[in-house]
Amino acid sequence: MRVRVLKLAVLLFPVLTACTRPEALFNEQNARAHVNMLAGTIGSRPVGTPANARAREYLIEQLRLFGFDVRVQESDARRAEAGLTARVSNIIAVRGGARDDAVGLLSHYDSVPDAPGAADDAFGVAVSLEAARVLAARAERNWSLMVLVTDGEEAGLMGAAALVTDREVVRRLKAYINVEAQGSAGDAHLFETGPENGWLLRPWARVAPHPRGDSYALSIYRQLPSDTDFSVLKRHDIPGLNFALIGDSYAYHTARDTPERLSSRSLRDTGENVVAIVAGLDGTDITQRSPDTPSFFDINTTTAVTYGPTVFWSIAVAALVLGVIGWVRVSSAAIGMGGVGRWLLTMMWTIVGAALVVGSMIAATWLLRVAREVYHPWYARPNGLLALLVAVGATVGWSVVRVGQWLPARAHGLRHPVVTWSAALPLWVLLASLAVWLVPGAAHLWTLPLLCAGLLLSLAPPGSDSGIRIVSILVLAVAGTMWLPDTVDLFHFAVAIFGRQPIVTPVYIYAVIMAAAAMMLVPPLVAVTGRTQPLLRPSLMTAVLLLAVAVSAGYAYIAPAYTFDEPLRRHMRAIQPASAGTAIWEVAGIEPGLDLEEGAPHGWSPASGPLPESIPLSPLPHPFVFRTVGPPLGPAPVTITGFAVRPLGEGMELELTVVPREPGLRVLFVLPAGLTPARASLPGVLRAGRWTATYAAVPAEGVAFRASFGKGTEETLLKTEVMVRSAGFPGGIGWQRMPSWTPHQRVVWTASAGWLLRPGADAIAPVQPLR
């Protein structure tokens, strides 16, 4: 009877707790409605387009309904270091509190031209809007609340560049949360904080109901060719927390980034975290500033840990000291079991085995690539490669053990958990030392397991088999918690992100990720499961491992490389030189072949060199680029309303005005090679060897470019060029305006059309005034 009652209680417990759990204030359905409006009804909304304006009107209306005072910051934002200017319209909404200083919710409402932008960043906007509704409804607030929805993030962080010039924002904003996405599912990772100001992390660690984040992620993020608005605000010493989705990142910046793909759990959990963090900040002095750079990590998205430099160095020193002490104890015990010679032989055999395991995983990845018709056969189904690498690594490791049995009895390796730790601890000490020195934000991944292992192995009797195994179980629990979830997430994220870089992914990348985790997970696992006596039927283990290799290899071989949901990325551009009756067409990607449909231009061939010198664009960086001369694009979608070169004091002045005939254009003012202006109305930089000023989202009234030069430049200035760039192609079909001959079932495209104009070709050189 008691057993039945216990079973009934276990079954009813989730139901009873669900009934007593208060309803979350953050409403997922409301957030989903915002995503559907922005990325579904409105769709792709690049800066400067009618869709962008429609999204802005919708957001303003919603924020005013929530009781915010809303204004629009219209600005010609500039980033001199990028030679970039853009007309942006930022939304600044404020809800007053008891104090004038404010906590901000930051996101961006524009998207890239080739994506509806459900995840990037309708997700962030929806979370901010619904969190703003919840927080604005609270009767008492210590700090004011700002909702900052920027424009032009996808055009080069231009909205943020304008935002930091707004006096009210700079004066009142003391802390903020930025919500971004490179994926459509999973948890929104906290991957960047700062600058410094460790106090800002405490509310996240203390009150966020679903914390997910790790300070090591910043080391990875810095290596990626991506950026967020957070980077601009960070340079202005405004402390914040930067969150991003990274799961299912195949759709990032593609036509597949649709509302139905965005995870409901991601919306809900991120929204609840944001509301809780802002509420937690209401009891914190957000005006404080501190120089500490904290370490942080979560434990299975249930709780989070953060600590500053003092604790960091205490853990690091204790881990290294105890690690050395523990190694001396276990090594002494291991040597006592079999002598120095057998101990050294065991260490050498372990090193050889580890090298063979890593080499076998690299070889398995290479063989999979060679056996398939594509360079990235694991892209759509990375779990096949993951299983194959685990199976191959385990099989080769087991084979090394079996081969060791053929050696003379005196040369057999020692069998005891203490021997495993004798080999592992010096490696852990080395890795922890390097991490503390080179990547302190990631050091806890090594120092905490080392601290646990060093402390327990320093206390446990080294000759006790059961005692060392119990210690190993505890260390495995710590190392597994620190490494296993992040390794799985990192592996899948790496597959997706390398698949969208313009390179053929090196075959060693995934073996390195697996090896890094294995160095921390395999030693305690072997110490727990290893036997002091040989197996009675080792052939059975061999058969099981070989079967695992065969099954995983078969799955990896037959799995599709690209699918509709995990498509191949390709880029297409066409450039029409001035006064030309044809255009240069290019298709680029990370896989060979074109696979274009009927109606495509003929004569494609691998691009054997850069574009003609007359075209001021860099070559596409992809490993496979095909080029042909095809039909012209037609008239440029701009009008040159003014071009003049005239004397100015002791030099010359160039004035050039461009008026667009369609929205969202990007115009580049390209000076002749070797010419740099003394002053210019727009910032510029050297690109492809020529000084270039870029204006994104040219407004309807047009843009005027003025620059001054020294004497003797009159004739050269007549060679100034204007490059006009547009997303999509004239006469293209669909919202992307793609040619009808582009396949879309397993391919997604980014596309651009360009016109090269020489407005000074027919101009008359100015005559110097008589003296």
Side-chain angles (χ1 to χ4, degrees), residues 129-424:
L129 281 183
E130 178 58 12
R133 182 193 67 81
V134 173
L135 294 165
R138 299 194 171 183
E140 297 181 0
R141 290 184 310 280
N142 188 25
W143 308 108
S144 298
L145 180 64
M146 278 187 167
V147 180
L148 307 170
V149 194
T150 63
D151 190 13
E153 194 269 358
E154 302 291 3
L157 313 182
M158 301 310 293
L163 194 66
V164 294
T165 66
D166 187 273
R167 293 183 179 180
E168 182 186 17
V169 171
V170 172
R171 178 178 62 84
R172 300 182 66 179
L173 186 65
K174 303 303 180 183
Y176 67 98
I177 296 172
N178 185 48
V179 184
E180 263 281 7
Q182 283 205 7
S184 302
D187 301 294
H189 287 237
L190 175 60
F191 67 96
E192 185 178 17
T193 67
E196 302 171 336
N197 293 290
W199 58 269
L200 187 55
L201 272 165
R202 287 191 285 272
W204 169 75
R206 187 175 65 248
V207 301
H210 319 284
R212 187 76 171 101
D214 202 304
S215 50
Y216 83 84
L218 182 58
S219 301
I220 297 175
Y221 170 65
R222 285 173 175 166
Q223 308 305 316
L224 302 179
S226 57
D227 223 331
T228 71
D229 285 340
F230 190 94
S231 300
V232 177
L233 272 69
K234 187 176 181 178
R235 289 196 291 268
H236 287 74
D237 295 325
I238 305 174
L241 303 176
N242 204 4
F243 291 88
L245 287 183
I246 65 169
D248 184 24
S249 61
Y250 295 99
Y252 177 67
H253 281 189
T254 76
R256 306 292 196 267
D257 186 11
T258 55
E260 57 271 14
R261 185 159 187 157
L262 184 62
S263 164
S264 294
R265 186 183 72 83
S266 300
L267 269 174
R268 181 183 64 251
D269 289 359
T270 305
E272 291 178 355
N273 281 344
V274 169
V275 170
I277 294 168
V278 175
L281 284 172
D282 209 50
T284 302
D285 180 10
I286 64 173
T287 65
Q288 65 180 297
R289 294 293 180 264
S290 63
D292 56 314
T293 301
S295 299
F296 61 92
F297 58 90
D298 73 279
I299 301 175
N300 198 29
T301 67
T302 57
T303 188
V305 177
T306 178
Y307 51 82
T310 301
V311 176
F312 170 86
W313 285 110
S314 299
I315 291 174
V317 172
L320 295 174
V321 170
L322 290 172
V324 172
I325 293 173
W327 178 71
V328 171
R329 294 193 77 223
V330 296
S331 297
S332 299
I335 292 171
M337 292 176 186
V340 174
R342 288 187 68 186
W343 178 75
L344 287 175
L345 185 62
T346 302
M347 298 302 104
M348 292 177 59
W349 200 244
T350 301
I351 294 172
V352 170
L356 289 174
V357 167
V358 175
S360 69
M361 291 192 292
I362 296 174
T365 308
W366 177 80
L367 285 171
L368 180 60
R369 169 176 284 172
V370 169
R372 297 288 298 273
E373 74 283 0
V374 292
Y375 280 88
H376 304 82
W378 49 76
Y379 183 71
R381 298 292 183 266
N383 286 337
L385 177 63
L386 178 61
L388 177 62
L389 296 184
V390 172
V392 167
T395 302
V396 171
W398 172 250
S399 299
V400 171
V401 174
R402 297 301 302 145
V403 169
Q405 300 305 306
W406 298 346
L407 300 175
R410 292 184 178 181
H412 284 184
L414 298 171
R415 291 176 174 271
H416 195 281
V418 78
V419 179
T420 303
W421 284 115
S422 180

